Amino acid sequence: GKDVSYLAASHVAAKRYLVATDAAYAATLSPASTTTLRFQGGPMSAAEVATCDADARWPEVLRLRTYDEAAKSQTAYGGVFAAAILDEFRGDL
């Protein structure tokens, strides 16, 4: 429902947040992702970061973004990405 749509709608915001708050994350962006970031508004401002940090749902947004990034790598979680996701959410199922 609303939670899933919020997570999906916040995907780009999570990227902008992470670029603004984590130099190591920003360094991992592909050239294409760096280009699209400019069209997506660039790194968040300090005020935007503060708004996100104040949202109780924000950690879930970042967690989903982390999973999405890991899914792009065949070596994520030692090559067992699906198992890691299931383990993470097993208590929620």
Side-chain angles (χ1 to χ4, degrees):
K2 286 195 275 185
D3 290 335
V4 172
S5 62
Y6 174 77
L7 291 172
S10 299
H11 186 73
V12 169
K15 175 182 172 181
R16 295 182 61 228
Y17 176 96
L18 288 168
V19 168
T21 61
D22 185 350
Y25 174 83
T28 68
L29 294 181
S30 69
S33 189
T34 301
T35 298
T36 59
L37 175 66
R38 288 195 303 268
F39 293 106
Q40 295 164 332
M44 282 189 173
S45 67
E48 290 172 310
V49 168
T51 298
C52 291
D53 287 339
D55 187 334
R57 302 170 295 178
W58 196 247
E60 296 300 317
V61 171
L62 296 178
R63 187 164 85 164
L64 181 61
R65 181 75 196 200
T66 300
Y67 292 156
D68 180 67
E69 296 293 342
K72 296 174 187 176
S73 169
Q74 292 183 2
T75 60
Y77 295 98
V80 290
F81 180 73
I85 294 294
L86 289 174
D87 287 345
E88 179 72 26
F89 286 103
R90 195 160 312 278
D92 296 337
L93 298 176

